Amino acid sequence: LTDGIRKVHDFLTVGAPAPLQEGVADALEQLEADFYRGLAQSYRARRDLLFAALAESGFRCTPPEGAYYILADYSELSELDDTAFAVWLSREVGVTPVPGSSFFARGDGRSLVRFVFCKTEDVLQEAARRLRSIGRGGVARGAEAAARSGLQG
């Protein structure tokens, strides 16, 4: 039951109402090409930062070409299922991914977690530092609780 509730909650909080989408689409058509080039460059840099940290930490993943998230296979790091691994990573490392099974039917995605890179560069730098601690065999999280880190979501 809670799996279904979590999926509904995720999709309700991520999607925007259709009238809002139309208004934003009209506004976006008025922006200059330089805006979009800068936006693409900024997201590419964020993607590359997070991708490098994941790869160096032992996750297997491919850099996305148009998404703001990276779906990563952690099977070389842990035998936990995706939900337990996501909870462990949040509590012990201070970086919170979304369990991969949230995006698949029939129980697929149990060795995957999803990380977003639509965060500020300083938050991503800190997440990268924390993730790299996994690859070195230690977990360097710092004293603050995961809930206060700004790295959730």
Side-chain angles (χ1 to χ4, degrees):
L1 178 64
T2 60
D3 284 342
I5 292 170
R6 281 194 301 259
K7 288 178 185 177
V8 169
H9 176 265
D10 188 41
F11 291 117
L12 287 176
T13 57
V14 174
L20 178 60
Q21 291 179 25
E22 289 180 29
V24 169
D26 286 343
L28 290 175
E29 289 175 355
Q30 298 176 30
L31 294 170
E32 299 292 325
D34 283 347
F35 170 80
Y36 294 104
R37 280 191 287 276
L39 188 62
Q41 180 180 7
S42 171
Y43 272 88
R44 195 174 308 111
R46 294 177 204 184
R47 178 203 63 195
D48 293 348
L49 191 162
L50 182 58
F51 173 77
L54 290 169
E56 291 169 22
S57 302
F59 290 87
R60 289 183 316 197
C61 50
T62 302
E65 295 182 20
Y68 61 88
Y69 55 85
I70 298 174
L71 195 61
D73 184 316
Y74 64 86
S75 59
E76 298 294 319
L77 298 170
S78 174
E79 293 181 7
L80 294 172
D81 73 28
D82 59 324
T83 300
F85 183 78
V87 169
W88 175 84
L89 197 65
S90 180
R91 288 182 178 159
E92 300 301 323
V93 181
V95 178
T96 303
V98 176
S101 62
S102 299
F103 307 102
F104 293 87
R106 299 177 299 275
D108 294 337
R110 291 286 179 193
S111 65
L112 303 171
V113 287
R114 187 180 88 167
F115 297 89
V116 298
F117 52 87
C118 53
K119 303 284 184 179
T120 61
E121 187 176 343
D122 60 323
V123 167
L124 289 172
Q125 290 283 0
E126 178 61 16
R129 183 190 69 78
R130 293 177 185 197
L131 288 167
R132 285 184 176 108
S133 74
I134 298 170
R136 292 189 297 267
V139 178
R141 181 165 174 240
E144 75 276 5
R148 296 188 313 257
S149 70
L151 297 171
Q152 272 52 21

